[in-house]
């Protein structure tokens, strides 16, 4: 069953039934000011950091789910209703939510009145702008009482949820003209405040939550709205909110726009006050003035749309598969921007207080984003590398506001360092900017410790070399990419977090075949980079370690039909036919086949066939099989999950593309394409009632074949799945690969594909690529011409900047 449809021309998903199986959300803003907004107007805003600078309050785990947001209440004399159906839940005559590229519109129609709320964060603006358009479609005069609503968060989202003995006494607001200012803690240590304005004289307001709602009412029935009159409350402590009251009289056929601005301001220490205790509002007023008419708002939205035209024009495809085209051209790229912005911090599954920017996560996110805005990718790489230590190890995450690393979700994950090589080489291949390698980058943000970024790559590589176990394979440390395979944890205390509890790595034999494969893949990238920049000795040194790793994998990592997953603390195999449960895992088989280990000997094909046989199912490829059915203290969190969920035999969509890419190494385009479609959201739209989460973005996990409800997805939006699937489809299936000196074309497709077209902007030139597959082959380029000229090999050389070139590829 579907709850809406794609509108590809407008790059929107249109939700026509507000009762989606889970809130279907969107993100506003992609620089400093951000909001999450659901299809019924739920959500919240923050500045840069969802934990430390939360602007409006949101209650995760609420009943009902997704209560609280940016609401408009309309009292039309007959009914009290909201354009997004919630929170009033008054039955609407019609409802439509359109989620687009960083904007959302929600339209409700009731009693002949149409109310459409547009939400977006204009470019380069520290504010969310809302335009409420009211239209009278009847023949009578309509008098509408409009109440806006936001609830302020007392800045630190963590303490806001727990320290009530203090919070209930600190709240402060100011009300001036039609603007409500939230200035809690401004007088002491903060230099920032927030505000909410409307571009009409307001006829009343409320800023005290309990006065607005009534102590015994919920979001669905504020007493002031029901009574049709605000109480002009001024918050002192308790829970400050902002609600404007505006009366609108509409003649038959008439319409009216109200513009609301929800903004954030920072003032310099010596410029904080207008007069004693009266905040300096200059900057707020300037922003409000930029959006004080509907025309200005429309112009800002047009600018945002043009900005997205530009971003999405870098890579577009035409394959004849509508569902594929809309993902690659629109939604998958959009999700990559969102994961770039938020890493794993703030979604409807990540509370915004637990996690910041992940070291491994943000590096991987770059492969889906780097072509969009390479300059921002560059800054991100420097920020990430700055949280590394001299031995190549690193903090697992950092807070976006401070950019300082922390150990709050654990440390000592031995896969982390290698991802920096991926992030950096992806950036250079896209941009051609080798100067980044010379950039001075500190360790642990310590001034004076700067070395070149290239040196950071060397210590990343050497971190694996210097941490090998008894089988010549990488020690896993706290965990590898699978942060639930906690081989040195041995936790028996339910109050311990698997992520942060003791890491008994001393004397441990826990080694990871996943890091081993990862090391071979990105180690080779490191070698290639060294050669390109003339560091031949370093290239040769590194190559020896890679060769040794390949040998160690063949010797100690092969189980006969697939690659084992790991060795545990005691040196026992994990993911082997000798194990009672979880005889096979996806990660090591993904990485070792991507690395092509044993390709000639048939190991790649065999491993992939075993994956197909044992891990594949209707909804995708599960992580391990058979699932763990009991707790293994020596394996940790992975065995804490019920079978079929998350890291215990869930379909972890992040690592399905590893197998797709592995299949392309073997040249089996049909298999890669089959796997791609199984988890691709536009292909699961028809089963939205089972799938549950948004059909326009990837979810981290779909319940696997051993789950209670196979096919049900969770954890949408913030997942490496976005970048990895984009990477797999564009670079390995369609095969358009940026390299240091040109665009390599290496498609690996299903034999029934007759061909496809790609427009790719690369290093200042535009390539119109036409791939033809006359003989129904799966892989291999027979000829390649650029503007009719035959080229040796399958790499389009860099063509003069500014030009447009026609490329024809025959498979
Ligand atoms: C989850 C992982 C996640 C980790 C982060 C675990 O409970 O299963 O997917 O990466 O927590 O803290
Ligand atoms: C989610 C985390 O964000 C990521 O870092 C990890 O690799 C996967 N879960 C797998 O455990």
């Amino acid at each position: 069953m579907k709850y809406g449809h794609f509108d590809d021309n407008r790059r929107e998903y249109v939700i026509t039934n507000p009762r989606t199986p889970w809130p279907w959300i969107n993100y506003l803003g992609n620089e400093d000011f951000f909001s999450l907004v659901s299809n019924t107007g739920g959500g919240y805003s923050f500045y840069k950091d969802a934990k430390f600078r939360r602007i409006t309050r949101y209650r995760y785990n609420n009943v009902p789910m997704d209560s609280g947001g940016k609401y408009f209440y309309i009292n039309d004399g007959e009914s009290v209703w909201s354009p997004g159906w919630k929170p009033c839940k008054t039955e609407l005559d019609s409802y439509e939510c359109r989620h687009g590229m960083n904007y959302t519109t929600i339209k409700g129609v009731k009693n002949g009145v149409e109310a459409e709320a547009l939400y977006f964060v204009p470019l380069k603006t520290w504010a969310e702008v809302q335009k409420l358009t009211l239209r009278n479609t009847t023949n009578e005069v309509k008098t509408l009482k409009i109440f806006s609503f936001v609830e302020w968060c007392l800045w630190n989202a963590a303490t806001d949820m727990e320290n009530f003995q203090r919070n209930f006494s600190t709240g402060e607001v100011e009300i001036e003209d039609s603007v409500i200012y939230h200035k809690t803690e401004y007088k002491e240590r903060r230099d920032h405040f927030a505000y909410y304005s409307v571009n009409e004289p307001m006829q009343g307001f409320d800023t005290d939550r309990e006065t607005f709602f009534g102590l015994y009412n919920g979001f669905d029935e504020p007493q002031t709205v029901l009574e049709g009159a605000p109480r002009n409350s001024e918050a002192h402590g308790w829970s400050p909110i902002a609600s404007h009251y505006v009366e609108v009289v509409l003649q038959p056929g008439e319409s009216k726009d109200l513009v609301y601005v929800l903004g954030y301001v920072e003032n310099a220490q010596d410029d904080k006050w207008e007069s004693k205790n009266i905040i300096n509002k200059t900057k707020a007023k300037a922003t409000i003035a930029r959006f004080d008419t509907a025309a200005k708002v429309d112009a800002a939205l047009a600018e945002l749309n043009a900005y997205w035209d530009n971003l999405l024009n870098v890579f577009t495809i035409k394959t004849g598969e509508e569902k594929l085209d809309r993902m690659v051209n629109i939604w998958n790229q959009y999700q990559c921007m969102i994961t770039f912005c938020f890493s794993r911090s703030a979604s409807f599954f990540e509370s915004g207080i637990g996690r910041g920017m992940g070291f491994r996560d943000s590096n991987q996110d770059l492969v889906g984003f780097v072509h969009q805005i390479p300059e921002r990718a560059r800054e991100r790489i420097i920020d990430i590398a700055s949280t590394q230590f001299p031995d190549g190890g690193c903090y697992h995450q950092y807070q976006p506001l401070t950019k300082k690393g922390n150990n709050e979700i654990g440390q000592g994950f031995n896969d982390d360092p290698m991802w920096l090589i991926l992030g950096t080489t992806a950036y250079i291949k896209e941009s051609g900017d080798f100067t980044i390698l010379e950039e001075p980058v500190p360790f642990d943000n310590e001034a004076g410790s700067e070395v070149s970024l290239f040196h950071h790559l060397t210590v990343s590589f050497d971190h694996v070399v210097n941490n090998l176990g008894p089988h010549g394979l990488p020690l896993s440390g706290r965990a590898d990419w699978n942060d639930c395979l906690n081989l040195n944890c041995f936790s028996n205390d339910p109050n311990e977090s698997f992520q942060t509890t003791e890491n008994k790595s001393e004397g441990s034999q826990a080694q990871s075949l996943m890091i081993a494969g990862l090391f071979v893949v990105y180690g080779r990238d490191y070698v290639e980079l060294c050669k390109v920049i003339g560091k031949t000795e370093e290239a040769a040194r590194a190559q020896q370690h890679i060769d040794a790793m390949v040998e160690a994998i063949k010797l100690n990592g092969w189980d006969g039909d697939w690659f084992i997953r790991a060795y545990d603390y005691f040196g026992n195999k994990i993911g082997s036919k000798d194990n009672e449960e979880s005889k096979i895992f996806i990660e090591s088989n993904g990485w070792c086949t991507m690395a092509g280990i044993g390709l000639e000997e048939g190991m790649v094909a065999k491993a992939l066939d075993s994956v197909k046989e044992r891990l594949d199912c209707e909804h995708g490829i599960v992580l391990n099989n058979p699932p763990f059915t009991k707790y293994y203290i020596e394996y940790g969190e992975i065995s804490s999950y019920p079978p079929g969920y998350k890291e215990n035999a869930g379909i972890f969509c992040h690592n399905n593309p590893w197998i797709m890419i592995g299949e392309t190494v073997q040249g089996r385009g049909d298999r890669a394409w089959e796997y791609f479609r199984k988890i691709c959201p536009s292909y699961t739209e028809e089963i939205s009632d089972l799938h549950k989460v948004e059909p326009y973005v990837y979810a981290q996990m779909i319940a696997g074949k051993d789950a209670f409800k196979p096919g049900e997805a969770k954890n949408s939006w913030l997942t490496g799945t976005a970048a990895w699937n984009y990477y797999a489809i564009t670079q390995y299936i369609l095969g358009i690969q940026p390299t240091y000196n040109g665009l390599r074309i290496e498609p690996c497709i299903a034999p029934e594909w007759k061909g496809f077209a790609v427009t790719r902007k690369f290093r200042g030139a535009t390539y119109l690529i036409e791939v033809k597959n006359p003989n129904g082959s799966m892989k291999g380029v027979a000829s390649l011409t650029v503007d009719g000229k035959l080229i040796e090999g399958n790499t389009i050389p860099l063509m003069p900047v500014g030009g447009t070139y026609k490329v024809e590829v025959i498979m």
Side-chain angles (χ1 to χ4, degrees):
M1 179 185 165
K2 299 206 299 179
Y3 295 81
H5 55 89
F6 287 92
D7 181 344
D8 294 338
N9 284 334
R10 296 174 54 160
R11 297 187 300 232
E12 292 171 342
Y13 192 82
V14 189
I15 302 164
T16 48
N17 177 353
R19 292 170 175 84
T20 48
W22 189 254
W24 285 2
I25 73 163
N26 194 13
Y27 286 83
L28 315 179
N30 64 42
E31 282 160 338
D32 295 330
F33 189 105
F34 301 109
S35 303
L36 283 67
V37 58
S38 75
N39 60 307
T40 54
Y44 61 97
S45 300
F46 56 93
Y47 169 78
K48 280 192 183 169
D49 194 309
K51 178 176 182 179
F52 290 132
R53 270 316 131 77
R54 188 77 66 99
I55 294 169
T56 63
R57 186 174 279 164
Y58 191 73
R59 294 165 193 76
Y60 282 92
N61 234 344
N62 211 342
V63 179
M65 174 62 200
D66 188 30
S67 298
K70 303 355 178 337
Y71 293 142
F72 293 106
Y73 295 94
I74 301 174
N75 183 329
D76 64 10
E78 272 175 79
S79 327
V80 169
W81 55 285
S82 298
W85 177 58
K86 275 178 78 172
C88 296
K89 292 201 291 183
T90 305
E91 230 26 76
L92 297 172
D93 300 331
S94 90
Y95 158 93
E96 184 185 87
C97 166
R98 289 176 172 263
H99 285 317
M101 304 290 104
N102 284 146
Y103 67 86
T104 286
T105 61
I106 304 179
K107 184 161 88 181
V109 180
K110 183 78 191 167
N111 302 333
V113 173
E114 215 178 272
E116 177 170 340
L118 159 72
Y119 301 84
F120 72 111
V121 174
L123 296 170
K124 310 258 172 264
T125 304
W126 289 1
E128 174 185 314
V129 170
Q130 306 162 347
K131 185 179 78 170
L132 181 68
T133 305
L134 301 158
R135 203 168 289 118
N136 178 1
T137 65
T138 69
N139 295 323
E140 313 140 34
V141 177
K142 289 273 181 183
T143 301
L144 308 174
K145 297 175 170 184
I146 311 293
F147 297 77
S148 64
F149 170 81
V150 303
E151 181 177 10
W152 302 115
C153 180
L154 305 182
W155 302 117
N156 180 328
T159 57
D160 183 66
M161 291 198 309
E162 55 188 29
N163 195 4
F164 303 109
Q165 58 83 27
R166 171 173 161 82
N167 297 349
F168 285 165
S169 292
T170 56
E172 290 187 286
V173 297
E174 268 182 49
I175 303 144
E176 190 188 296
D177 301 327
S178 290
V179 193
I180 295 163
Y181 297 88
H182 174 231
K183 60 171 187 179
T184 301
E185 291 190 337
Y186 183 76
K187 132 175 118 315
E188 55 273 18
R189 295 171 301 176
R190 294 188 181 275
D191 56 10
H192 43 268
F193 62 81
Y195 59 91
Y196 192 36
S197 69
V198 59
N199 70 338
E200 276 282 305
M202 58 181 180
Q203 285 112 327
F205 59 87
D206 272 293
T207 67
D208 176 65
R209 190 181 71 197
E210 269 65 48
T211 307
F212 180 71
F213 285 108
L215 185 56
Y216 301 101
N217 295 22
F219 287 107
D220 54 337
E221 41 178 21
Q223 65 180 9
T224 44
V225 180
L226 298 183
E227 288 162 3
R231 296 193 179 181
N232 299 341
S233 58
E234 204 180 296
H236 293 275
W238 299 111
S239 295
I241 61 157
S243 172
H244 311 92
Y245 173 72
V246 179
E247 254 179 52
V248 175
V249 180
L250 291 180
Q251 300 303 316
E254 200 190 356
S255 74
K256 181 169 180 70
D257 298 302
L258 295 173
V259 179
Y260 296 83
V261 179
L262 171 67
Y264 170 87
V265 161
E266 282 180 1
N267 280 333
Q269 262 317 312
D270 54 2
D271 202 22
K272 279 174 69 169
W273 304 100
E274 182 184 306
S275 57
K276 172 103 178 145
N277 286 337
I278 302 297
I279 59 177
N280 177 355
K281 307 180 178 70
T282 317
K283 289 183 181 171
K285 287 181 180 168
T287 304
I288 293 168
R290 282 176 55 211
F291 305 104
D292 57 3
T293 66
K296 290 184 189 176
V297 173
D298 295 344
L301 181 66
E303 251 182 74
L304 178 67
N305 281 329
Y307 166 92
W308 272 102
D309 286 342
N310 264 330
L311 289 187
L312 297 177
N313 275 344
V314 177
F315 195 121
T316 55
I317 62 168
K318 220 171 151 178
T319 63
E321 275 274 321
E322 189 185 44
K323 291 179 180 171
L324 172 63
D325 290 1
R326 68 166 58 110
M327 286 314 292
V328 173
N329 294 339
I330 306 171
W331 290 99
N332 198 177
Q333 293 203 55
Y334 180 56
Q335 190 179 2
C336 287
M337 162 65 96
I338 301 302
T339 56
F340 170 80
C341 289
F342 300 101
S343 195
R344 308 294 170 263
S345 66
S347 71
F348 271 31
F349 295 85
E350 297 281 7
S351 63
I353 58 177
R355 302 169 72 183
M357 311 298 287
F359 193 100
R360 75 156 81 92
D361 294 331
S362 289
N363 271 308
Q364 291 171 78
D365 291 345
L366 286 174
V367 298
F369 173 76
V370 71
H371 65 288
Q372 295 186 27
I373 314 181
E375 308 77 57
R376 288 185 72 188
R378 188 185 209 274
E379 185 189 346
R380 177 62 48 78
I381 291 166
I382 306 291
D383 289 348
I384 299 171
S386 304
T387 65
Q388 206 173 17
F389 302 116
D391 74 345
C394 59
Y395 283 109
H396 199 47
Q397 67 163 11
Y398 67 89
Q399 277 307 127
L401 197 66
T402 60
K403 297 192 173 178
K404 278 240 169 206
N406 65 66
N407 281 332
E408 280 167 29
I409 55 161
Q411 90 267 34
F413 297 86
N414 282 354
D415 64 310
D416 269 336
M418 286 310 290
W419 300 111
L420 185 63
I421 298 178
L422 167 66
T424 306
T425 53
Y427 166 75
I428 301 175
K429 286 176 192 169
E430 179 65 37
S431 64
D433 171 23
F434 286 92
T435 68
I436 192 175
L437 295 171
E438 306 310 321
E439 203 64 43
V441 181
F443 290 114
D444 191 8
N445 280 292
E446 206 61 66
S449 68
E450 291 82 0
V451 295
S452 68
L453 179 67
F454 180 79
H455 187 83
H456 281 264
L457 301 189
T458 307
V459 296
S460 292
F461 181 88
D462 284 341
H463 191 265
V464 174
V465 174
N466 295 333
N467 289 281
L468 295 179
H471 297 89
L473 297 165
L475 291 166
S476 69
R478 173 170 298 282
D480 60 26
W481 170 88
N482 187 333
D483 46 27
C484 296
L485 190 59
N486 315 118
L487 303 179
N488 299 314
C489 180
F490 297 92
S491 178
N492 220 352
D493 173 353
N495 291 320
E496 282 174 351
S497 142
F498 287 105
Q499 306 291 320
T500 56
T501 201
E502 201 192 337
N503 183 7
K504 297 189 183 52
S505 32
E506 197 92 351
S508 169
Q509 301 188 43
Q511 298 153 83
S512 161
L513 264 299
M514 190 246 151
I515 304 181
L518 183 77
F519 176 77
V520 173
V521 173
Y522 297 129
R524 286 185 189 139
D525 268 13
Y526 175 69
V527 167
E528 184 191 13
L529 178 67
C530 289
K531 286 184 182 158
V532 170
I533 61 175
K535 294 191 192 287
T536 39
E537 265 172 50
E538 176 61 2
R541 178 189 78 93
Q543 187 60 49
Q544 285 176 0
H545 292 292
I546 296 164
D547 295 342
M549 188 67 75
V550 170
E551 285 318 304
I553 295 172
K554 287 184 179 171
L555 188 68
N556 297 316
W558 182 246
D559 203 47
D561 289 308
W562 57 82
F563 295 96
I564 64 165
R565 176 62 177 87
Y567 285 90
D568 71 12
Y569 181 92
F570 309 102
N572 301 317
K573 288 180 183 171
I574 304 175
S576 153
K577 54 182 176 318
D578 304 336
N579 292 110
E580 191 190 322
E581 298 190 325
S582 291
K583 295 170 182 290
I584 175 170
F585 284 73
I586 195 170
E587 302 98 318
S588 47
N589 287 294
W591 282 97
C592 293
T593 58
M594 281 163 75
I597 291 167
L599 185 65
E600 295 80 29
E601 299 95 310
M603 289 156 92
V604 169
K606 232 182 198 180
L608 291 169
D609 288 344
S610 301
V611 167
K612 178 84 191 152
E613 184 190 327
R614 291 168 185 256
L615 300 180
D616 184 35
C617 74
E618 181 191 349
H619 301 287
I621 312 167
V622 302
L623 193 145
N624 52 305
N625 183 263
F628 295 112
T629 58
K630 57 181 194 228
Y631 179 51
Y632 293 77
I633 194 170
E634 69 277 29
Y635 298 167
E637 183 170 357
I638 190 168
S639 58
S640 74
Y641 283 113
Y645 294 97
K646 291 282 285 178
E647 280 87 346
N648 186 16
I651 296 159
F652 223 90
C653 298
H654 184 137
N655 53 34
N656 277 225
W658 299 345
I659 300 299
M660 297 170 204
I661 298 174
E663 288 288 0
T664 66
V665 170
Q666 187 62 46
R668 300 195 292 208
D670 48 353
R671 283 257 184 100
W673 174 232
E674 179 194 340
Y675 287 140
F676 179 84
R677 269 172 308 167
K678 280 191 179 171
I679 61 166
C680 180
S682 56
Y683 287 85
T684 59
E685 188 193 10
E686 308 289 336
I687 54 161
S688 283
D689 40 343
L690 167 65
H691 190 77
K692 224 175 177 142
V693 294
E694 299 89 337
Y696 40 93
V697 290
Y698 282 95
Q700 180 208 54
M701 189 222 39
I702 301 173
K705 55 184 173 175
D706 310 287
F708 174 71
K709 211 179 194 188
E712 184 184 63
K714 293 192 183 111
N715 207 353
S716 52
W717 283 99
L718 301 186
T719 160
T721 307
W724 270 102
N725 278 281
Y726 185 74
Y727 190 50
I729 186 74
T730 58
Q731 298 209 22
Y732 294 91
I733 297 178
L734 302 174
I736 314 295
Q737 305 178 351
T739 72
Y740 295 114
N741 47 21
L743 264 188
R744 186 189 300 134
I745 313 293
E746 187 138 58
C748 183
I749 56 178
E752 64 272 15
W753 277 33
K754 294 281 164 264
F756 58 91
V758 175
T759 301
R760 177 68 155 99
K761 294 196 174 149
F762 182 63
R763 310 254 192 112
T766 303
Y767 299 93
L768 309 176
I769 305 165
E770 188 79 44
V771 175
K772 296 184 177 155
N773 187 23
N775 305 317
S777 69
M778 291 207 271
K779 197 177 176 177
V781 168
S783 73
L784 188 156
T785 59
V786 178
D787 282 344
K789 241 187 82 206
L790 193 68
I791 303 281
E792 270 291 311
N794 61 345
T795 300
I796 311 170
L798 290 172
M799 300 299 285
V801 170
T804 296
Y805 306 94
K806 279 187 91 149
V807 180
E808 196 182 69
V809 180
I810 312 283
M811 292 182 64

